[in-house]
Amino acid sequence: MNTSAAISKIFWPSHLCSRHLRTGFIIGWNVRSFTACIATIVSDIDLDPLVSALGSLAADPQFAAINRACGVSPVVLGVAIVPFADGMDAKRVMDSNARLLASRSLLEHKQTANLWLTIEIKPTYIPSLESLHCCGFRYSNVSSEIIYYKQPDPRSFQFLSLDPLILDISKINASGALFDAALSPKAAQKRMKSTMSLSRLFMSSSGRTVTDDMNVTLQQINSSYEMEQAVQAKAKSLLRRRARSRSMSEAVRESAVDLSIKVRSKLAITVTTLWPVIQPFTIRPLMVILLVLRALVEISLWILNWKFPAWAFNGIAIKDMTTTGQQIDLRLQQACFWPWQYFMARKKAWTNTSITRAQYISFYNSMWLVANDIIIGVALGSFLISNSKYMGEVLQRYVKDYTIDSISAVLEWLTSKNEYPAGLKLNPELNPFLGQLFKWLIELWADFIISLQPIVPTVINLIGLSGVFGATMALSLISDLLAFTTLHIYWFYMVAARIFHWQLTILYSLFNLFRGKKRNTLRHRIDSCDYDLDQLLLGTILFTLLTFLFPTIAVYYLTFALSRVMVICMQATMETVLACLNHFPLFAIMLRLKDPDRLPGGLRLEVCPERFFFDRATPLRWVVSSLRSVSTESSHQQHQSQQLQHDLASKNIQQRADVGGDGLSQLRQRPHNGQHMIQHQHQQHSYFGQPPSSHQFQLPRQQHQQHLEPHSFAESLAGDITMEQEMVPKSVSYLFLTNSPLPTSAIFFQYSVLWKRLSSHYFTFHVLKCLLSGETIQSIPRLQYPMLPDTRSRFTVYAIQPTLLKFWTFCEETLMNQEAPKR
C-alpha cells in the first residue's frame, strides 16, 4: 500500500542529547498524526508497569490541570535505542537493546498504539527516526524534523510563548480576569472550562489549525518539566534491580532513613490535627487587623479622590491639587493591590502562563522599587536633616534671587523712563500703572516670604523625615514647595493672560465691526452686518485705542508667560524624575540579563548542526568547532562571491562577443546563485506548522512515495537491510526552538507612555495657540502610571463596603485555607 510522503515532527528536549542517556521508553504527547512532543525517557523498567504508572498519574488530581492544558494525557510514544554506554561493553549493550526490541509487550503495544516511534541515538548524541508505526502499520519512508527545545523550568518561571510577554498588566486587568482568578478558585476553573468549551467548538466547526497545534505543543513543552519529574518519581518505585545482599552499613543507613521518615510523618500528622484548633485563635485576629487597616486605606482613598464642585477649583479631585497627594494615592492603591497580585503570582496557572508571569514580574518589580525608594529616601532625608540650616539658607537665597529680585528687575526695566525696553515705546500712562501694580504685589509676597524664614529649617526637616516613606515622597514635597514659592508668578500670569485674552478678543470683534461683519454664534461663521454710523464711529475709536494699548499689555503678558513656562518646565522635570523612580523596570532588566527565558519575545527557529551536542559536551572542542565554523563560513562566502564575480565577468565577455541575442537571453535566464546563497543564509525562520522548504533548513529532496504495509516484528528485522537499500534516502532536519529576547521597547513601555503624555500635552499646536491667544496653559497632568486595574478608578462611599466584603472573603480563602461562606 503506497501513500504520499509524510513528515514527522518530533519536539525533543535538548538535555536528552547527552552521553548519559540510556536505552528506554519515550514518554510524551501525541499532538496530531505524526507530530509528537517528548517529555522524558524512562530506562530500566518494563513497558506494562510503565503504562499502568502513567494511567495512575493521569488520574491524579494534582496533574488534572496539566492534562487539561496539554489537551491529552502523556503516553508511551516509542522506544529510544542508545547503542553506546559509558563503562559498558558494546556487545553487552547491543544484546540488551535486542532483547528489549524483541520483548512481547513491546510488540503488542506497537500493533495497537496510535503512534510508535523507534528512535536511535547517534554517536553525536542526536536522535534519528528509524521507523514509525501507526495502528500496526509501518510507514517505511518518513522524513523527520527533529525540533530541539530547552526544557523550561517552572521553578524559575521559564516558559516558551508564541507571542511576546506583555508586561503592562493594566491591559490584562481590564478584562477582570485577575480578580476572578485571585478571589475565587472556582472562578478560574469556570473560566478555564468556558475557554476549553469554546476551543472545542472552534475545532469541531472549523477543524484544528496549525495555530491550535502550536499552542497545544507549547503548553506541553512548558509542562514537560513537571511531567518528567512526576514520571521519574513514579518510575523509581518500579525500577528493576538485581537481587543482592546488603552490607551492614547499608542496612543501618536504610533503617535511619526509615526512622526519619516515620518521625516526620508523625509530626506532620500532629500538626495537621492541632492546626484546625489553633487556627481560629491565631488567624482570625490577624484578619481583623488587616480588615481595619484596609478600611482606613479605603477611607483615605475616598477622601483623596473626592472632587470639588464644578464652580470651585474647576471640579478637580483633592489628590490632583498636589504632587504629594498623587504619590500617597499611588502607594495606597499599590498596598490594596499587592495581596491579590502576590497570590496571583504564586498560583500555577497552566492555561494563562503569560498572565501569571506578568503578575509575578510586576509584583516583584514594584516591591524592589519601593525598597530602593525607601533606601534612597533615607539617605536623602538624613542629608537634608543634617544640613537643614544650610539648605534653608540656600532655598531662601534662590527664592529671593530668582522669584522676587529678578521679576522686580524686569519690572524696573519696563517702567524706566530713560530707555525703551527692547526698542518698544510703551504707553506712558498704562505702563507705570501696570508696573506699580505688580511691584506692589511682589512687595507683599516678599514680606510674606520673609515672615516664613524662621520655619524654613523646620520644613526642610519635615521633608527629610518624609524620606522614610521613600525618596519619591520627599521629591513630591519638594515639588509642592516649588509650586508654593512660585505661587505669585502663577497669579501674575493668570491676571496678565486674562487681560491679554480679553483685549485680543475685543480687538477681533472690533476688527469685524470695522469691516462690516459680525460673528454668527449659532452657525459658527462670519456674516455680513449693517451697522449704524454711531456704532461704526464708536467701534473705530475703541479699536484704535486698544490697538495702541495692545503692545504694552503684550509685553507684560509675555514677561509673566515666559516665567510661568519656566516654572512648568521645572515641575515637568520633577514629575519625570518621580515617574522614573516609580516605574523603572529594575526587576525586568535583571531578569533580561540573568535569565532571558523568563521574558520571551516570541519564538525563533534556528538550524542546529549535527555535531552541536557532541561538541558542547567538551568545552575545548566547542570552542575549536565554533572558530572552525566561523572561518569555514567566511571562506565559503568569499569563495562564493569570487565565483559569482567570475561567472558574471565571463558572461559579460561572452555577451560582448556574441553577435546575436542568444548570449543576452542566456544571461537573463541564468539564476543568481549569489543572491540565492544570501537568501539561504538569512531565512532562518519558518512557519511553525509548515515543514521547512528546501532553501531554508534542509537540502533539496526529491519527491518520494511512502509505503504503508502491515508486518510483524520478525519480518521487519529480516527485511530492514533490503528495504533500506530500496528506499529513497530520507531527509532529516535538525532545528532548535528558542525564545527571542524581549525587545527593550517592551521592557521600558512605561517610559514610552510617559513620553506620549508629555508630547501630547506640550508639543502640540493647542499649547502654541494658548500661548499666542492668552488662554491659560494648564499644568502637566500627573505622570503617575500605576498599572492598576480599572476597577479601582471609581471611588465612592457605596463602593467601600463591597470592597471590604471581597477583602474579607479573600482573606478567608487564602489564610484560612477554606471556602468562604456564600453571601
Side-chain angles (χ1 to χ4, degrees), residues 603-715:
L603 295 179
R604 180 175 60 186
L605 283 173
E606 296 179 351
V607 178
C608 183
E610 292 188 5
R611 294 179 58 89
F612 176 77
F613 298 101
F614 182 74
D615 294 337
R616 195 178 63 173
T618 305
L620 181 59
R621 188 189 298 123
W622 170 257
V623 175
V624 172
S625 62
S626 301
L627 296 176
R628 185 183 303 168
S629 62
V630 171
S631 61
T632 305
E633 193 173 318
S634 60
S635 61
H636 180 69
Q637 291 180 0
Q638 185 177 2
H639 176 71
Q640 289 287 345
S641 61
Q642 292 177 358
Q643 183 68 26
L644 177 62
Q645 293 177 2
H646 177 72
D647 294 342
L648 292 177
S650 61
K651 282 297 178 181
N652 289 333
I653 295 174
Q654 183 179 0
Q655 179 184 0
R656 294 174 184 176
D658 197 356
V659 180
D662 295 336
L664 181 60
S665 62
Q666 291 177 4
L667 181 63
R668 290 178 179 175
Q669 292 176 2
R670 181 180 177 86
H672 296 283
N673 296 330
Q675 183 178 1
H676 177 76
M677 179 191 65
I678 297 174
Q679 191 175 14
H680 167 75
Q681 292 174 0
H682 286 281
Q683 290 180 347
Q684 292 185 357
H685 299 276
S686 173
Y687 190 68
F688 192 87
Q690 298 177 353
S693 59
S694 60
H695 68 278
Q696 283 181 333
F697 295 110
Q698 58 189 11
L699 297 175
R701 63 174 184 267
Q702 58 185 5
Q703 186 71 20
H704 56 273
Q705 294 182 349
Q706 182 184 16
H707 303 282
L708 183 66
E709 54 186 7
H711 68 289
S712 64
F713 180 76
E715 294 175 353

Side-chain angles (χ1 to χ4, degrees), residues 566-600:
M566 292 177 63
V567 173
I568 289 178
C569 290
M570 295 177 62
Q571 291 180 344
T573 302
M574 301 194 71
E575 285 285 343
T576 305
V577 174
L578 282 175
C580 292
L581 290 177
N582 283 323
H583 310 299
F584 186 76
L586 180 63
F587 190 71
I589 293 175
M590 185 205 68
L591 292 180
R592 179 69 171 79
L593 298 175
K594 178 184 176 183
D595 191 1
D597 290 336
R598 296 191 185 186
L599 300 175

Side-chain angles (χ1 to χ4, degrees), residues 140 204 228 249 333 394 452 662 735 779 782:
S140 59
S204 61
E228 181 181 18
S249 60
Q333 288 195 47
V394 172
L452 296 178
D662 295 336
L735 311 177
S779 299
R782 303 305 179 190

Side-chain angles (χ1 to χ4, degrees), residues 20 35 45 86 121 142 154 157 180 354 380 559 649 717 735 775:
H20 304 292
T35 303
I45 190 173
D86 293 340
I121 307 299
V142 180
F157 293 93
D180 292 341
S354 59
L380 178 62
T559 300
L717 290 178
L735 311 177
E775 297 181 7

